Amino acid sequence: MPPARVGELVETGVCVVDDALSAAEVLAARQELERVHAAGGLSTIALQEQSNVRNDLVGWLETSALAATPALAPVVALLRGIPAEVQRHAGWRLAVPHRGQAALYDGTPGSPSLYHKHVDCSDPQSNPRRLTAILYLN
């Protein structure tokens, strides 16, 4: 992540980096996540679906296993590298979890996906998460 983007993140609390992966890498990663789902690795979260929070397919996956998959290795490297760049350029002390969340959204007109805006950490005492990195594979 370029230093200017880290500065943007620190200043505004958010930054967007377009075209972080090639179109071919995005397509391969998306197809691999669809295979993970077909193998039972992703599912809806019933309580969140019933409460109208989100209705996507979700799974918490070990990043070491994902990194060993050629199609997902660039995704894992990118997402795990962001905290290191933020730490290097902004001085934030960040830990990187060993699992990452993957989600698939249907998005077709007959089955539109929903995901309501939220924060990942409303109480820093009980949840030390300071940074969330998201990569959209569309």
Side-chain angles (χ1 to χ4, degrees), residues 30-52:
R30 172 72 189 210
Q31 291 170 339
E32 183 60 27
L33 282 181
E34 289 169 352
R35 283 189 284 278
V36 167
H37 168 55
L42 305 176
S43 60
T44 58
I45 300 171
L47 180 60
Q48 290 181 339
E49 188 173 20
Q50 291 167 358
S51 60
N52 220 25

Side-chain angles (χ1 to χ4, degrees), residues 4-116:
R5 294 295 186 171
V6 174
E8 180 183 344
L9 172 66
V10 170
E11 185 176 318
T12 67
V14 68
C15 85
V16 175
V17 178
D18 292 318
D19 302 319
L21 296 176
S22 72
E25 289 172 316
V26 168
L27 178 60
R30 172 72 189 210
Q31 291 170 339
E32 183 60 27
L33 282 181
E34 289 169 352
R35 283 189 284 278
V36 167
H37 168 55
L42 305 176
S43 60
T44 58
I45 300 171
L47 180 60
Q48 290 181 339
E49 188 173 20
Q50 291 167 358
S51 60
N52 220 25
V53 172
R54 68 191 292 176
N55 65 351
D56 54 331
L57 300 166
V58 180
W60 286 93
L61 308 171
E62 293 294 326
T63 56
S64 58
L66 297 177
T69 306
L72 293 174
V75 172
V76 173
L78 177 67
L79 292 175
R80 291 185 64 84
I82 290 170
E85 291 301 304
V86 171
Q87 186 166 311
R88 184 165 65 118
H89 297 295
W92 293 7
R93 303 285 297 159
L94 300 171
V96 180
H98 295 282
R99 295 187 315 151
Q101 185 182 66
L104 287 175
Y105 295 85
D106 183 344
T108 60
S111 179
S113 295
L114 61 101
Y115 185 84
H116 288 282

